[in-house]
């Protein structure tokens, strides 16, 4: 009787966990908050050269990792919960980055190499006589921030509307998303497009009047990246825990049955796809001022495939795992590409993906969740030893 009561108590405790975040979400946000507080403090007040001092270049590197985590989160929303394997997420990331880069270029003014108060340096070099119409408004930050959302959002809306209403799914959808990002890569490489050609946009001076190279600006961008990641996680968690999210999961598992029950599956997929694209655009906008450049290489299909590896390593359909996978893989990339193993990084990345697929198909966090659930089920069965097999279901 005692053991049964204990099991009942444990079951009640599990049921009373926060519906929105859960234990893993609270831990994730707590770690993110701690990083947002401690990293600036250790950068500003720890003595340079001490073991706990965080140099400014590390702050920028960590900020870049956080933007990648946000990008991975956007992929997990559609891949993990809707079953849309998009190989074109890098396109939305790059469009958000270009929108921010255009604003930063307009802020240079007469401080450019050619001193033109209106035209960016690359336009003067290419003998452009006037600013293209699609650059108007980017001298204002609110307009640029709006375009960070609208540029990837509208592309996702148009692309998704045609693709989902045509009921393109599976590998065919993955291929056309890859074709989309490759087409944008070729377009942005052209000098006559007005986006800097293969050199892209760079040599940024300031953002909102603050020197972009200053330590304080770097710290602020890091904190904003952490804040954006935290808010994006809460948004995604809210979506997947709601009725809307349950329909998304049903579409992922059995789209035909969902249609038979009267739901317009294509509308649900389209909304999730657009939200995912906008999150990727925000990640790109935060990425550009921290790395100081945006060029067409960000549209590379290989970049989009690499994002899939991040999510697979961390755990598809877990949100937290996607962010963790992005940070871990990119830390490994930074570590291994700065030494003797640099030429072999892509082989290592491919090997990592194969290993995860074979031995950890649910990723790091997904495997942990599975182990924890099995442990709880064992603990909740009265009188059963921990090592005994589960009864057949």
């Amino acid at each position: 009787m005692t053991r049964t009561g204990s099991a009942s108590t444990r079951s009640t405790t599990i049921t009373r966990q926060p519906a929105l975040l859960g234990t893993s979400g609270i831990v994730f946000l707590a770690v993110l908050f701690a990083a947002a507080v401690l990293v600036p403090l250790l950068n500003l007040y720890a003595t340079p050269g001490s073991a706990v001092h965080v140099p400014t270049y590390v702050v920028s590197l960590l900020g870049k990792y956080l933007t990648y985590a946000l990008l991975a989160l956007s992929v997990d929303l559609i891949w993990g919960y809707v079953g849309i394997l998009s190989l074109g997420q890098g396109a939305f990331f790059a469009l958000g980055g270009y929108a921010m880069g255009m604003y930063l270029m307009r802020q240079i003014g007469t401080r450019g190499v050619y001193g033109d108060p209106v035209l960016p340096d690359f336009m003067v070099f290419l003998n452009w006589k006037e600013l293209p119409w699609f650059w108007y408004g980017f001298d204002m930050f609110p307009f640029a921030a709006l375009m960070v959302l609208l540029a990837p959002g509208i592309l996702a809306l148009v692309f998704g509307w045609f693709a989902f209403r045509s009921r393109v799914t599976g590998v065919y959808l993955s291929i056309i998303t890859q074709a989309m990002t490759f087409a944008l890569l070729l377009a942005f490489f052209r000098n006559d497009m007005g986006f800097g050609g293969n050199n892209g946009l760079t040599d940024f001076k300031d953002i909102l009047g603050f020197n972009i190279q200053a330590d304080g600006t770097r710290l602020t961008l890091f904190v904003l990246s952490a804040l954006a990641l935290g808010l994006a996680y809460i948004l995604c968690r809210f979506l997947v825990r709601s009725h809307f999210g349950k329909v998304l999961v049903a579409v992922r598992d059995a789209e035909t049955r969902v249609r038979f029950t009267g739901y317009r599956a294509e509308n649900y997929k389209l909304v999730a796809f657009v939200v995912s694209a906008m999150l990727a655009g925000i990640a790109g906008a935060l990425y550009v001022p921290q790395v100081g450049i945006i060029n067409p290489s960000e549209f590379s299909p290989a970049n989009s495939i690499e994002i899939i590896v991040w999510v697979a390593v961390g755990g598809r359909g877990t949100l937290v795992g996607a962010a963790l996978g992005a940070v871990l893989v990119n830390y490994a990339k930074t570590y291994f590409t700065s030494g003797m193993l640099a030429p072999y990084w892509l082989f290592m990345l491919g090997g990592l993906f194969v290993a995860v697929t074979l031995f950890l198909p649910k990723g790091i966090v997904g495997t942990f969740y599975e182990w924890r659930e099995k442990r709880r089920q064992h603990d909740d069965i009265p009188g059963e030893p921990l090592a005994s097999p589960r009864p057949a279901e």
Side-chain angles (χ1 to χ4, degrees):
M1 295 295 293
T2 305
R3 295 195 60 176
T4 305
S6 176
S8 175
T9 303
R10 283 193 297 270
S11 177
T12 304
T13 304
I14 292 172
T15 313
R16 290 179 180 176
Q17 285 183 346
L20 177 59
L21 297 177
T23 304
S24 59
I26 293 174
V27 171
F28 173 73
L29 292 176
V31 171
L32 200 59
F33 176 77
V37 173
L38 290 178
V39 170
L41 290 178
L42 294 177
N43 173 264
L44 293 172
Y45 299 109
T47 305
S50 67
V52 295
H53 178 68
V54 180
T56 302
Y57 79 90
V58 174
V59 174
S60 297
L61 188 63
L62 293 176
K64 184 176 73 170
Y65 291 165
L66 293 180
T67 62
Y68 285 154
L70 176 54
L71 178 58
L73 200 69
S74 72
V75 171
D76 196 28
L77 176 63
I78 55 173
W79 187 31
Y81 293 91
V82 198
I84 301 173
L85 179 57
S86 172
L87 298 181
Q89 202 73 2
F92 305 129
F93 177 81
L95 286 175
Y98 265 96
M100 178 57 66
M102 292 166 72
Y103 163 75
L104 296 174
M105 291 296 290
R106 292 297 308 272
Q107 299 306 298
I108 295 175
T110 57
R111 292 172 293 175
V113 175
Y114 297 99
D116 193 293
V118 177
L119 297 179
D121 284 339
F122 74 88
M123 290 186 183
V124 178
F125 178 78
L126 295 173
N127 293 319
W128 288 60
K129 302 304 179 184
E130 59 182 12
L131 196 69
W133 63 268
F134 48 83
W135 277 76
Y136 291 139
F138 279 97
D139 54 335
M140 299 178 291
F141 182 81
F143 179 83
L146 181 63
M147 294 308 298
V148 164
L149 297 174
L150 289 184
I154 291 175
L155 176 62
L157 180 65
V158 174
F159 178 89
W161 192 88
F162 285 105
F164 300 142
R165 289 184 179 274
S166 301
R167 301 195 181 181
V168 181
T169 58
V171 66
Y172 302 104
L173 181 62
S174 300
I175 290 173
I176 62 174
T177 56
Q178 190 174 54
M180 173 192 68
T181 190
F182 188 69
L184 288 171
L185 168 70
L186 297 179
F188 274 72
F189 259 119
R190 296 171 57 93
N191 286 327
D192 57 2
M193 283 288 291
F195 296 105
N198 62 325
N199 293 321
L201 309 177
T202 187
D203 194 30
F204 309 133
K205 304 298 183 184
D206 52 41
I207 178 170
L208 291 173
F210 298 96
N211 183 359
I212 205 168
Q213 301 296 334
D215 292 354
T217 306
R218 296 288 184 181
L219 290 172
T220 302
L221 289 170
F222 169 80
V223 173
L224 289 176
S225 299
L227 178 63
L229 177 58
L231 292 176
Y233 173 79
I234 294 173
L235 172 63
C236 291
R237 181 75 178 178
F238 172 77
L239 289 176
V240 301
R241 297 283 292 180
S242 64
H243 174 75
F244 175 81
K246 289 178 172 58
V247 176
L248 292 182
V249 174
V251 169
R252 178 197 67 188
D253 294 338
E255 183 173 343
T256 303
R257 292 185 180 182
V258 172
R259 293 182 184 278
F260 283 157
T261 57
Y263 287 96
R264 298 292 297 271
E266 61 272 14
N267 293 343
Y268 284 86
K269 293 165 72 174
L270 183 61
V271 171
F273 194 61
V274 171
V275 171
S276 171
M278 288 182 172
L279 292 177
I282 294 172
L286 290 168
Y287 168 86
V288 168
Q290 295 185 84
V291 299
I293 188 172
I294 179 72
N295 58 41
S297 66
E298 298 297 339
F299 287 102
S300 171
N303 287 2
S304 295
I305 295 173
E306 190 172 334
I307 302 168
I308 301 300
V309 177
W310 304 345
V311 178
V313 169
R316 172 190 172 194
T318 62
L319 296 180
V320 171
L324 178 64
V327 174
L328 290 179
V329 174
N330 281 284
Y331 173 77
K333 182 178 182 180
T334 302
Y335 181 80
F336 288 113
T337 55
S338 59
M340 295 172 47
L341 297 175
Y344 309 104
W345 164 247
L346 290 179
F347 296 100
M348 297 168 64
L349 183 64
L352 176 64
F353 184 66
V354 172
V356 167
T357 302
L358 293 177
F359 304 110
L360 289 175
K362 295 186 178 180
I364 297 173
V365 175
T367 302
F368 171 76
Y369 285 169
E370 184 180 42
W371 171 83
R372 186 179 64 179
E373 184 62 27
K374 288 181 178 179
R375 182 68 176 255
R376 283 176 176 170
Q377 290 179 2
H378 276 295
D379 290 345
D380 288 340
I381 299 177
E384 182 180 357
L386 186 60
S388 63
R390 290 177 58 191
E393 297 179 354

